[in-house]
Amino acid sequence: MKRENRLEAIINELRASKEPLSGATLANLYQVSRQIIVQDIALLRASNYDIISTNKGYLLIDPPGKYKIFKVYHNIEEIADELYTIVEAGGRVNDVFVIHEIYGEIRAQLWLTSKSDVDNFVTSLAEGKISPLMKLTGEYHFHTVEASSDRVLDLIERKLREKNYLVEV
């Protein structure tokens, strides 16, 4: 397959995927090395495609969805419920961030789109692989949530408010 055709095919794969695609997955799909995929992604970025790298693979931010930042508060035991509430209502949890009084904004990418993603994240917390940022700020934190429409974002907001996770700003 010629590079030009492969670049178009990669964009189509990334657009169709709701979850990040690893370089190895794309390499197997197009029967090239992972290094070729890395070069292809660099070319696509140079062509103004908004492709981000996550710990799970590449993700195309195209077309941009609707975004809303939610300020939330809950204890550590409620993390899974809060995140399930968002993804089950049709949202994607792009990140978590806190505003620390000394360090300023501290942000971590999450890219949680499903219950399985949430389960993996919560398992990592339970195993001590990662520590929730909310521990730095007395359990207050923010999420950037993406959804297909304002209606879905409104639904997520309503559900978070019903569970008393939402903090009015």
Side-chain angles (χ1 to χ4, degrees):
M1 175 181 279
K2 289 185 177 181
R3 175 168 267 173
E4 183 177 297
N5 294 340
R6 190 174 59 248
L7 293 175
E8 184 176 334
I10 290 171
I11 286 298
N12 290 334
E13 282 295 322
L14 290 172
R15 273 195 182 118
S17 180
K18 291 184 178 186
E19 298 190 10
L21 294 174
S22 72
T25 298
L26 292 169
N28 287 337
L29 189 61
Y30 300 110
Q31 299 177 350
V32 295
S33 70
R34 198 180 66 71
Q35 185 56 38
I36 294 294
I37 295 299
V38 170
Q39 293 170 5
D40 289 348
I41 294 296
L43 287 171
L44 291 167
R45 286 176 174 153
S47 298
N48 291 323
Y49 284 99
D50 191 6
I51 300 172
I52 60 169
S53 299
T54 73
N55 62 341
K56 297 177 186 177
Y58 298 108
L59 189 64
L60 177 67
I61 309 299
D62 177 47
K66 302 286 185 174
Y67 296 89
K68 190 163 193 172
I69 294 175
F70 294 104
K71 182 177 184 182
V72 291
Y73 173 85
H74 54 77
N75 63 41
I76 290 176
E77 291 76 26
E78 295 170 313
I79 290 174
D81 185 59
E82 174 217 19
L83 297 172
Y84 286 147
T85 299
I86 295 169
V87 300
E88 288 175 350
R92 177 172 75 186
V93 184
N94 290 352
D95 62 21
V96 59
F97 65 98
V98 296
I99 309 298
H100 192 273
E101 63 183 53
I102 295 173
Y103 300 117
E105 182 179 294
I106 304 170
R107 185 180 299 259
Q109 303 300 320
L110 296 179
W111 306 109
L112 305 176
T113 61
S114 66
K115 285 185 76 171
S116 174
D117 289 345
V118 172
D119 290 341
N120 291 335
F121 178 73
V122 171
T123 298
S124 293
L125 287 174
E127 292 173 350
K129 293 179 183 176
I130 55 176
S131 182
L133 288 178
M134 63 192 263
K135 287 176 76 173
L136 296 174
T137 56
E139 299 175 343
Y140 287 96
H141 58 287
F142 300 83
H143 289 295
T144 305
V145 175
E146 182 178 356
S148 59
S149 68
D150 288 327
R151 185 182 63 76
V152 173
L153 289 172
D154 291 343
L155 173 65
I156 293 166
E157 182 173 355
R158 183 172 47 82
K159 288 182 175 283
L160 291 172
R161 184 174 284 113
E162 287 170 1
K163 293 185 175 196
N164 294 316
Y165 295 150
L166 195 63
V167 176
E168 302 300 329
V169 199

